[in-house]
């Protein structure tokens, strides 16, 4: 049956869902409604290769307009301001109406903002979209001392890039380690040493009391009364799911849009995927919300299948990466629920991985290495954790023994 | 097919089954694989981003990029899973006297 399928959100989950629907349904109308006047593009390079001029705008698009045209997928740049789930309608502020039979919400997440005096609102920069990346890239050209508030992935990737552009970078983190929300301390400490080796200054355990503008520059007062002088301030202090549009509706919200393992929300024919979705994961038997490239892609594909009537459970093992300087960090599975840690390797040139086990079953791993050194073992860990494998700890801890032998076929 | 384009990679026992070795020749990098039914060769750099595939996982005739998990069929070079969407170039392989050769054009 020919349907009207709307995808709200022009990011990675949205485009992968659209193409997957088309693979399974040649008839229905598929339209992506994007808030940015850009075809869906890759965000990971924004903080890295884009800032470093190794990639330009054209390199970022997932697919050309030709691909979308060939697959009969419409893209419209429009901002939706009201949702009527009962009558299956979306509205713009001018009351233009979009009618759907099935709706996928893939609105992603948005940056948390620092609470600042109003007069400084425009002086602190954030990075989520291409426009913001362009602004930062242009503005830092004639700046030297850069301060980054927040020692998470985005802050550290920007710190790495700006250091490579010969800037003097200071990172201020409120917690007692970098990337503390999900990365084990052992790995975070290695990343911290690398930043310091390259000349970046890392300040942990400090809060910001005040930021004062001094002519074109700033003074940042920390809670230990120390003062940092800086030319430019960037903040990366986490994100929240983009759900404002749905706050006064019947849609079940709890840290994002609550979905089951089939990407279905509490409202029939309404699905959610990617950063915005707090989804049920059958392997972990609980809900989780992830903000990662692989998840946006795979969750979008899964939603696409379900929308097209191909009932598919989402069982993807969480996986994410960060590239800083010449290091590649990867994490798979769950690394914060364990009763045993096993270390593999002790030299980042060959890669170091920490495995996290619970009841002898491998639950997750986090590793750090030059370029792709840890990729294979991290990927094998995903496969092992997917099957709840009990593994030989001797093999895990011995870098001379290959892990692919552990995969049961 | 002229003989001089066949380049010696190494001996057949230099690769374990379901594994690969990286082979650099002039300014190019290749991956040479041993699968259950023989030897195969592809470009050594992922088509998605400039990442060496040598640290990737070989399984069931597939190579998976170690950085972003794009997957390619080793025999055909076909890109099987995003983010990879451009196929990987493949090269003919022959074995002669326990030595592996690949044909580079």
């Amino acid at each position: 049956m020919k349907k009207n399928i709307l995808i709200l959100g022009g990011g990675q989950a949205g485009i992968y869902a659209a193409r997957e629907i088309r693979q399974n349904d040649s008839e229905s109308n598929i339209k992506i409604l994007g808030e940015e006047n850009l075809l869906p593009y890759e965000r990971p390079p924004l903080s890295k290769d884009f800032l470093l001029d190794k990639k330009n705008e054209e390199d970022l698009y997932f697919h050309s307009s030709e691909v979308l045209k060939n697959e009969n997928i419409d893209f419209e740049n429009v901002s939706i301001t009201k949702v009527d789930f009962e009558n299956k309608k979306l509205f713009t502020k001018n009351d233009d109406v979009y009618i759907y039979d099935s709706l996928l919400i893939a609105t992603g997440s948005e940056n948390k903002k620092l609470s600042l005096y109003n007069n400084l609102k425009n002086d602190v920069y954030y990075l989520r979209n291409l426009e913001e990346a362009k602004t930062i890239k242009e503005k830092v050209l004639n700046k030297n001392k850069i301060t980054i508030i927040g020692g998470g992935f985005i802050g550290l990737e920007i710190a790495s890039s700006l250091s490579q552009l010969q800037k003097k970078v200071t990172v201020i983190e409120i917690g007692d380690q970098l990337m503390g929300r999900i990365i084990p301390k052992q790995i975070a400490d290695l990343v911290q040493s690398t930043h310091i080796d390259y000349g970046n200054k890392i300040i942990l355990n400090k809060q910001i009391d005040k930021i004062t503008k001094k002519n074109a520059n700033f003074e940042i007062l920390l809670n230990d009364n120390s003062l940092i002088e800086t030319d430019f301030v960037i903040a990366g202090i986490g994100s929240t799911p983009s759900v404002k549009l749905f706050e006064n509706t019947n849609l079940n919200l709890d840290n994002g849009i609550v979905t089951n393992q089939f990407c279905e929300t509490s409202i029939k024919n309404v699905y959610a995927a990617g950063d915005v979705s707090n989804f049920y994961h059958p392997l972990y038997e609980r809900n989780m919300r992830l903000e990662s490239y692989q998840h946006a892609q795979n969750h979008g594909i899964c939603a696409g299948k379900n929308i097209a009537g191909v009932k598919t459970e989402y069982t993807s093992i969480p996986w994410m990466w960060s590239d800083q300087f010449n290091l590649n960090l990867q994490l798979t599975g769950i690394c914060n629920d364990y009763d045993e840690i096993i270390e593999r390797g002790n030299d980042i040139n060959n890669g170091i991985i920490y495995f996290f086990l619970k009841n002898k079953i491998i639950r997750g791993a986090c590793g750090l290495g030059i370029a792709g050194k840890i990729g294979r073992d991290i990927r094998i860990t995903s496969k092992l954790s997917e099957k709840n494998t009990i593994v030989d700890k001797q093999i895990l801890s011995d870098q001379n023994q290959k892990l692919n032998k552990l995969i049961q076929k | 097919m002229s003989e001089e384009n066949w380049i010696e990679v190494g001996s057949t026992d230099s690769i374990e089954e379901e594994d690969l070795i990286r082979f650099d020749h002039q300014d190019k990098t290749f991956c040479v694989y041993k699968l259950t039914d023989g030897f195969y060769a592809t470009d050594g750099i992922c088509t998605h981003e400039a990442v060496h595939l040598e640290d990737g996982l070989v399984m069931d005739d597939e190579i998976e990029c170690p950085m972003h998990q794009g997957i390619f069929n080793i025999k055909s070079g076909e890109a099987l899973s995003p983010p990879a969407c451009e196929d990987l170039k493949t090269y003919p392989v022959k074995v002669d006297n326990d030595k592996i050769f690949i044909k580079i054009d």
Side-chain angles (χ1 to χ4, degrees), chain A residues 21-229:
Chain A
I21 294 167
R22 184 55 81 221
Q23 290 255 319
N24 295 284
D25 173 352
S26 56
E27 283 200 331
S28 291
N29 298 317
I30 305 172
K31 181 178 268 188
I32 300 173
L33 305 175
E35 285 223 319
E36 289 176 76
N37 193 16
L38 297 166
L39 291 178
Y41 59 90
E42 302 207 36
R43 293 182 197 274
L46 295 180
S47 53
K48 302 179 280 275
D49 283 358
F50 183 77
L51 285 184
L52 290 170
D53 256 339
K54 290 180 184 170
K55 279 197 172 181
N56 56 38
E57 185 173 332
E58 291 69 41
D59 301 322
L60 302 181
Y61 295 105
F62 285 110
H63 307 291
S64 64
S65 53
E66 290 296 298
V67 170
L68 297 192
K69 198 175 160 200
N70 290 341
E71 297 185 8
N72 198 14
I73 295 168
D74 288 335
F75 177 89
E76 196 173 323
N77 172 221
V78 64
S79 184
I80 296 298
T81 54
K82 202 174 87 188
V83 180
D84 176 356
F85 287 123
E86 203 175 323
N87 296 302
K88 300 186 171 180
K89 288 177 179 170
L90 308 181
F91 300 88
T92 65
K93 72 167 189 261
N94 302 325
D95 275 338
D96 291 333
V97 185
Y98 294 82
I99 300 168
Y100 65 83
D101 298 302
S102 296
L103 172 68
L104 173 65
I105 302 170
T107 44
S109 52
E110 52 205 69
N111 290 326
K112 287 184 187 165
K113 298 281 167 76
L114 288 171
S115 39
L116 293 166
Y117 300 108
N118 274 339
N119 62 334
L120 285 177
K121 244 184 189 164
N122 298 326
D123 290 311
V124 175
Y125 292 83
Y126 298 84
L127 201 170
R128 175 160 299 270
N129 60 38
L130 181 60
E131 202 53 47
E132 290 165 335
K134 280 182 183 169
T135 304
I136 289 176
K137 191 171 169 176
E138 185 198 311
K139 298 257 181 196
V140 297
L141 276 178
N142 58 354
K143 308 286 183 192
N144 179 32
K145 287 185 277 185
I146 316 281
T147 297
I148 295 170
I149 300 169
F153 290 112
I154 189 76
L156 292 172
E157 288 180 359
I158 297 170
S160 155
S161 299
L162 296 185
S163 163
Q164 292 172 67
L165 294 173
Q166 319 306 326
K167 307 296 177 190
K168 278 180 73 83
V169 180
T170 301
V171 178
I172 305 168
E173 164 60 37
I174 192 170
D176 60 3
Q177 67 160 85
L178 295 174
M179 303 171 288
R181 195 160 63 88
I182 46 169
I183 297 298
K185 188 166 186 336
Q186 298 93 326
I187 296 287
D189 288 349
L190 291 167
V191 171
Q192 183 176 336
S193 317
T194 303
H195 276 266
I196 292 168
D197 288 348
Y198 279 95
N200 287 353
K201 193 172 173 191
I202 307 281
I203 301 174
L204 297 177
N205 287 312
K206 294 289 180 294
Q207 270 180 280
I208 291 161
D209 273 356
K210 200 176 177 187
I211 304 178
T212 314
K213 198 168 182 174
K214 294 265 158 143
N215 301 319
N217 303 329
F218 303 89
E219 275 182 2
I220 301 175
L221 178 68
L222 301 181
N223 59 341
D224 64 349
N225 282 328
S226 57
L227 207 58
I228 296 165
E229 289 182 7

Side-chain angles (χ1 to χ4, degrees), chain A residues 85 241-251 253:
Chain A
F85 287 123
S242 300
V243 293
K244 267 194 205 86
L245 197 52
F246 317 111
E247 272 167 1
N248 296 313
T249 69
N250 291 331
L251 191 63
L253 303 178

